[in-house]
Amino acid sequence: MNREYSCKILKRDMLTSDTAYLTIECADIANRAVPGQFVNVSCSRFLKRPFGIASVDTSAGTFNIGIKVVGAGSSELASIEEGSIVNVLGPLGNGFDLSASDSFILVSGGTGVFPINFAYETLRSKGKNVTMVQGFRDKSQVCLTSDEYIVTTDAGDYGIKGTCIAGLDTLKIEGNTTVCCVGPVPMMKAVGNWASGKGLKCYISMEQRMACGIGICLVCVCKKKAEEEGIPFEHVRCCKDGPVFEFGEVIL
Ligand SMILES: Cc1cc2nc3c(=O)[nH]c(=O)nc-3n(C[C@H](O)[C@H](O)[C@H](O)COP(=O)(O)OP(=O)(O)OC[C@H]3O[C@@H](n4cnc5c(N)ncnc54)[C@H](O)[C@@H]3O)c2cc1C
Ligand code: FES
């Protein structure tokens, strides 16, 4: 069931010059959310804006989202004052299947770092074997990182120079491993093809432009390979049927 909450912004940190990290009070969302899900957050614009859940703290009754400024809505939310109240719809969509194996490779590109962070924290708390590969444009965008992670930058001014594929190519794959990836479509396509080449299952998350976030308006549809013979494709709603899909399920 979709629920809307009035939530207090408890804390706002700036992770980079244009990326904020908000701690939002809502015990219900913190308790119900699973990695890969997102929330729709109100601002003064007509439509709410979707953001992946980056972390939860069930004992504090809070969750986090990371917001990179790209336009008016994200700019407003990234500079919101602590103590402000926002309306939040969520948690929305379907998350990653984290029971798929005991070993995971998590790959983020850009703001994909946020939903992937939640997957990392959850898998580690379950004692699973997790390797994190983070791809950023350049050093100024690097956030939510750790010395334990493999980091790549296109500019080569931090970590390995190149895309996250350069990071993935350094890995030795052992046993039954699942890949989860969130980032721009060309990046997820490259990661999905890399995983297929190694015979690994790969999940991707589609961050289409959205409006309602709950499957009604059809703004977010993408094409899925049809199961019925003779039909080239069918449409799926990324907000309701996704945003997480198995690589190869949706047409990128
Ligand atoms: C499921 C989902 C999860 C997301 N998670 C995060 C997150 O964790 N952190 C984060 O910073 N952003 C995330 N986004 C993207 C975020 O929702 C958009 O950046 C935001 O809605 C833009 O609003 P705006 O008013 O600032 O920009 P607008 O004025 O609406 O648009 C400004 C520019 O951003 C582009 N844009 C808008 N929405 C998207 C989108 N969905 N994908 C790519 N480009 C877009 C527009 O084409 C335009 O060029 C997510 C999107 C989805 C659908
Ligand atoms: S955003 Fe409305 S159906 Fe997906």
Side-chain angles (χ1 to χ4, degrees):
M1 195 177 97
N2 299 311
R3 293 188 204 155
E4 186 161 353
Y5 304 88
S6 284
C7 304
K8 189 189 270 187
I9 306 295
L10 293 185
K11 203 161 183 289
R12 178 176 64 90
D13 296 304
M14 291 309 290
L15 298 181
T16 73
S17 61
D18 63 359
T19 306
Y21 196 63
L22 304 184
T23 304
I24 305 177
E25 189 174 43
C26 185
D28 220 17
I29 290 180
N31 285 320
R32 290 166 58 216
V34 296
Q37 288 190 299
F38 64 100
V39 288
N40 241 358
V41 185
S42 66
C43 57
S44 62
R45 304 277 139 176
F46 176 59
L47 295 169
K48 290 187 174 65
R49 299 298 197 254
F51 297 96
I53 297 169
S55 186
V56 301
D57 182 338
T58 50
S59 54
T62 61
F63 69 96
N64 296 88
I65 55 172
I67 302 175
K68 182 177 166 64
V69 175
V70 297
S74 52
S75 169
E76 188 186 310
L77 288 168
S79 55
I80 195 164
E81 278 187 28
E82 293 175 357
S84 305
I85 303 291
V86 287
N87 289 331
V88 181
L89 185 61
L92 300 174
N94 298 308
F96 295 108
D97 178 5
L98 299 184
S99 62
S101 55
D102 287 329
S103 181
F104 282 80
I105 300 171
L106 304 180
V107 195
S108 69
T111 58
V113 71
F114 299 115
I116 284 293
N117 182 69
F118 186 16
Y120 182 86
E121 289 179 351
T122 305
L123 286 165
R124 288 307 291 257
S125 73
K126 290 179 191 293
K128 302 232 180 184
N129 177 21
V130 198
T131 303
M132 181 80 115
V133 179
Q134 299 175 318
F136 298 98
R137 201 183 60 215
D138 58 39
K139 189 179 175 185
S140 73
Q141 298 294 310
V142 176
C143 61
L144 292 191
T145 195
S146 152
D147 290 346
E148 290 172 21
Y149 302 167
I150 296 167
V151 182
T152 67
T153 48
D154 298 337
D157 54 355
Y158 190 99
I160 299 169
K161 181 175 167 56
T163 67
C164 53
I165 299 297
L168 289 170
D169 281 339
T170 65
L171 301 179
K172 212 172 121 210
I173 313 296
E174 282 165 9
N176 176 21
T177 298
T178 299
V179 180
C180 300
C181 170
V182 189
V185 167
M187 172 259 185
M188 294 196 293
K189 211 169 170 175
V191 172
N193 285 329
W194 178 90
S196 301
K198 308 265 182 222
L200 306 178
K201 184 179 267 196
C202 177
Y203 293 101
I204 58 166
S205 182
M206 296 293 289
E207 296 193 343
Q208 295 285 99
R209 294 215 71 173
M210 291 183 181
C212 72
I214 54 172
I216 295 167
C217 70
L218 307 185
V219 159
C220 66
V221 290
C222 65
K223 289 176 183 171
K224 181 184 177 214
K225 283 178 190 159
E227 279 157 28
E228 223 176 296
E229 225 178 288
I231 301 175
F233 60 82
E234 56 194 45
H235 285 108
V236 283
R237 298 156 301 177
C238 290
C239 66
K240 179 97 176 165
D241 305 312
V244 173
F245 295 95
E246 201 172 326
F247 179 68
E249 206 183 338
V250 287
I251 301 168
L252 297 178

